[in-house]
């Protein structure tokens, strides 16, 4: 059987390390230019270098996104950027634009090139075209079914890898190429500045009746008419592998370490269980479902994989997420007495019951027994985001990279 890669996103060096520790075989990141997530924090060249070193030391690959559609004024900058990437040696560069592809071939010929889903990869002829130019992987268009991907696999070189999304947000535009953001806000989604206009709430206004908002549906005063559900294929790992997909990709390069850890850990176990014993995979299905619903998500569907989506794959009522857990922090340093340092993400208090999430799949319930600020002063709570604090807990041991979370009743918001 072909090796199956779990590919996870990272918005920062912290999240990259989390993805690596929690089960990714590869991580994709964006630099400070030429990627499609300009509003994400993204990586400086030094952070990229540190992240690549951290990942490579643990046998994990790092891919850098450079998948904008370039304009004339971008090309000189792309060339200089790729010269810099050639020095720090990521494992691949993700590209959509043919001009950017040719610059990469010229400037950093020793780095693999992966073709982004943005490039409209919907048939086996397109895959063979890119492979003939030197691409080592093509990302399947979001609009492909598993049957179509299987047919593509049957018509391409066995050395050409197929990557496909397995989990995360779905774009309402064809393969993510959208003009809504540009039209409404002047920020070009194809240049990395998407404002997610498809998630906004819309009502109808008649030209001669300004201020009168008319219902789009009979029973609503507004509607989320382009708001797609999130993709989740945790119940269909066998079908994705059988279709000939080499890399299962998690979407979410603007997500938190908690989100990435939760999704990576769940899919890592599901893939490993299935490859070991399909019966084991089915046995643990309830655990996968429970874990995948403990992170932030926007209801789930199977996207285009089993046919074209219907109205059941859209969310018309609201634009909020289901929140299963709150991210409190991640253990950075451990003292001999068992207390540990975190950068606090959300408020919690002395005496609270929280959960320690471990990379191996264990979730340990503990009680907060001490909170101390960076100057050694005891605190009753930690209300200030990004405060560095030392924590003590009762009921379990904490290791570096363990994540603290508080389970919430599933709610909208």
């Amino acid at each position: 059987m072909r090796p199956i890669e779990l590919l996870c996103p990272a918005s920062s060096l912290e999240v990259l390390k989390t993805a690596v520790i929690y089960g990714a075989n590869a991580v994709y990141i964006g630099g400070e230019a030429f990627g499609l997530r300009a509003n994400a924090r993204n990586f400086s060249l030094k952070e990229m270098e540190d992240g690549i070193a951290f990942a490579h030391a643990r046998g994990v690959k790092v891919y850098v996104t450079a998948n904008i559609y370039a304009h004339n004024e971008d090309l000189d900058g792309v060339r200089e950027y790729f010269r810099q990437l050639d020095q720090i040696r990521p494992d691949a560069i993700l590209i959509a634009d043919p001009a950017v592809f040719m610059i990469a071939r010229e400037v950093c010929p020793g780095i693999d090139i992966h073709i982004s889903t943005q490039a409209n990869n919907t048939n086996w002829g397109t895959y063979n075209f890119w492979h003939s130019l030197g691409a080592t992987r093509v990302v399947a268009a979001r609009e492909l079914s598993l049957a179509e991907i299987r047919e593509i696999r049957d018509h391409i070189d066995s050395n050409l890898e197929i990557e496909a999304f397995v989990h995360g947000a779905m774009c309402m535009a064809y393969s993510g190429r959208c003009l809504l953001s540009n039209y409404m806000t002047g920020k070009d989604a194809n240049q990395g500045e998407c404002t997610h206009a498809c998630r906004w709430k819309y009502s109808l206004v008649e030209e001669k009746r300004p201020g009168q908002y008319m219902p789009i549906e009979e029973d609503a005063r507004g509607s989320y008419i382009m708001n797609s559900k999130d993709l989740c294929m945790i119940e269909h790992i066998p079908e994705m592998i059988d279709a000939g997909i080499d890399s299962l990709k998690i979407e979410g390069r603007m997500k938190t370490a908690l989100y990435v850890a939760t999704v990576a850990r769940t899919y890592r176990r599901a893939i490993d269980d299935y490859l070991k014993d399909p019966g084991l995979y089915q046995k643990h299905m309830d655990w996968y479902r429970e874990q995948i619903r403990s992170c932030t998500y926007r209801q789930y569907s199977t996207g285009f994989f089993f046919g074209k989506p219907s109205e059941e794959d859209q969310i018309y009522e609201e634009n909020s997420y289901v929140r299963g857990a709150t991210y409190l922090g991640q253990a950075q340093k451990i003292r001999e007495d068992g207390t540990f340092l975190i950068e606090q993400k959300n408020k919690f208090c002395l005496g609270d019951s929280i959960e320690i999430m471990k990379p191996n799949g264990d979730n340990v319930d503990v009680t907060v027994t001490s909170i101390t600020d960076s100057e050694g002063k005891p605190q009753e709570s930690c209300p200030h985001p990004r405060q560095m604090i030392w924590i003590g807990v009762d009921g379990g041991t904490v290791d570096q990279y363990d994540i603290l979370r508080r389970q919430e009743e599933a709610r909208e918001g």
Side-chain angles (χ1 to χ4, degrees):
M1 182 177 288
R2 303 168 68 92
I4 304 301
E5 176 185 271
L6 177 61
L7 175 58
C8 294
S11 58
S12 66
L13 187 57
E14 172 201 10
V15 180
L16 180 148
K17 291 179 178 180
T18 300
V20 170
I21 297 297
Y22 280 76
N25 300 115
V27 181
Y28 65 101
I29 64 176
E32 293 174 331
F34 309 117
L36 284 185
R37 288 293 181 270
N39 293 326
R41 179 177 175 273
N42 292 321
F43 284 67
S44 68
L45 286 169
K46 178 62 169 61
E47 288 172 327
M48 276 191 197
E49 188 173 12
D50 292 345
I52 291 168
F54 183 91
H56 285 181
R58 292 158 180 80
V60 173
K61 295 180 178 180
V62 177
Y63 310 142
V64 175
T65 62
N67 53 343
I68 66 162
Y69 281 108
H71 289 247
N72 293 333
E73 63 267 22
D74 296 319
L75 297 182
D76 288 342
V78 166
R79 185 177 299 277
E80 178 56 32
Y81 181 53
F82 284 178
R83 288 194 186 102
Q84 295 170 328
L85 289 185
D86 195 47
Q87 298 300 310
I88 62 175
R89 310 299 295 178
D91 297 278
I93 303 173
L94 189 68
I95 289 171
D97 188 297
V100 176
F101 180 95
M102 297 309 293
I103 293 171
R105 285 285 311 275
E106 175 191 341
V107 174
C108 38
I111 300 175
D112 284 351
I113 299 177
H114 296 173
I115 305 303
S116 170
T117 188
Q118 298 282 121
N120 198 33
N121 310 309
T122 55
N123 62 77
W124 52 263
T126 295
Y127 281 64
N128 285 329
F129 166 80
W130 286 114
H131 189 228
S132 71
L133 294 177
T136 59
R137 176 182 296 186
V138 178
V139 186
R142 294 291 197 111
E143 295 76 22
L144 291 180
S145 68
L146 287 177
E148 289 175 298
I149 294 174
R150 173 76 269 174
E151 186 176 1
I152 288 170
R153 168 52 66 199
D154 290 341
H155 285 83
I156 63 175
D157 192 291
S158 60
N159 291 321
L160 179 60
E161 296 176 345
I162 299 176
E163 178 180 306
F165 285 95
V166 69
H167 192 94
M170 294 286 288
C171 183
M172 55 75 60
Y174 200 89
S175 289
R177 297 190 305 282
C178 186
L179 295 176
L180 279 179
S181 179
N182 199 350
Y183 179 76
M184 294 181 176
T185 69
K187 295 184 176 181
D188 190 347
N190 302 311
Q191 289 275 304
E193 296 182 316
C194 181
T195 57
H196 301 282
C198 57
R199 308 293 185 191
W200 298 352
K201 186 176 183 179
Y202 292 92
S203 294
L204 182 66
V205 179
E206 200 275 330
E207 182 181 7
K208 295 180 180 179
R209 294 174 176 82
Q212 296 183 31
Y213 299 99
M214 303 176 187
I216 293 174
E217 294 181 305
E218 287 184 18
D219 59 351
R221 297 298 295 178
S223 180
Y224 297 90
I225 55 177
M226 297 173 284
N227 189 26
S228 59
K229 292 182 179 180
D230 284 357
L231 176 68
C232 179
M233 292 291 286
I234 194 66
E235 299 179 17
H236 302 285
I237 298 297
E239 293 97 319
M240 297 200 76
I241 294 175
D242 290 346
I245 297 167
D246 301 280
S247 179
L248 304 181
K249 184 175 190 174
I250 308 297
E251 186 279 335
R253 208 154 47 80
M254 297 177 72
K255 298 291 190 179
T256 66
L258 172 61
Y259 177 92
V260 171
T262 302
V263 178
R265 188 180 71 160
T266 306
Y267 276 90
R268 172 80 279 141
R269 184 167 177 180
I271 293 166
D272 291 348
D273 283 350
Y274 176 71
L275 294 178
K276 182 178 181 180
D277 178 4
L280 193 61
Y281 170 75
Q282 291 299 331
K283 179 181 177 181
H284 291 158
M285 187 60 68
D286 287 345
W287 186 87
Y288 311 145
R289 293 189 188 110
E290 177 188 3
Q291 293 305 306
I292 218 69
R293 284 177 169 79
S294 71
C295 61
T296 302
Y297 66 99
R298 203 189 263 108
Q299 300 184 36
Y300 286 136
S301 81
T302 56
F304 291 80
F305 282 127
F306 298 105
K308 292 182 179 179
S310 69
E311 66 276 5
E312 296 299 320
D313 296 284
Q314 295 288 118
I315 307 171
Y316 298 99
E317 298 82 17
E318 42 75 32
N319 181 30
S320 57
Y321 288 94
V322 178
R323 300 183 188 276
T326 298
Y327 183 27
L328 304 179
Q330 185 171 29
Q332 298 183 12
K333 297 179 181 178
I334 315 293
R335 287 172 171 161
E336 290 185 3
D337 63 1
T339 59
F340 53 94
L341 180 69
I342 70 164
E343 180 183 353
Q344 177 253 342
K345 305 296 184 181
N346 285 287
K347 182 180 178 179
F348 61 97
C349 302
L350 199 64
D352 279 0
S353 296
I354 63 173
E355 189 174 67
I356 304 298
M357 179 181 166
K358 292 183 170 289
N360 67 358
D362 290 343
N363 299 315
V364 183
D365 294 323
V366 298
T367 302
V368 179
T369 57
S370 67
I371 303 174
T372 307
D373 67 18
S374 57
E375 297 177 354
K377 297 177 182 178
Q379 298 186 192
E380 292 294 320
S381 65
C382 46
H384 306 297
R386 306 197 71 174
Q387 182 181 5
M388 302 301 297
I389 51 176
W390 290 90
I391 306 297
V393 297
D394 183 26
T397 334
V398 175
D399 301 302
Q400 188 180 21
Y401 303 116
D402 284 356
I403 283 180
L404 284 68
R405 65 183 182 182
R406 181 175 55 239
Q407 290 290 353
E408 313 286 356
E409 291 186 13
R411 68 180 190 276
E412 308 298 322

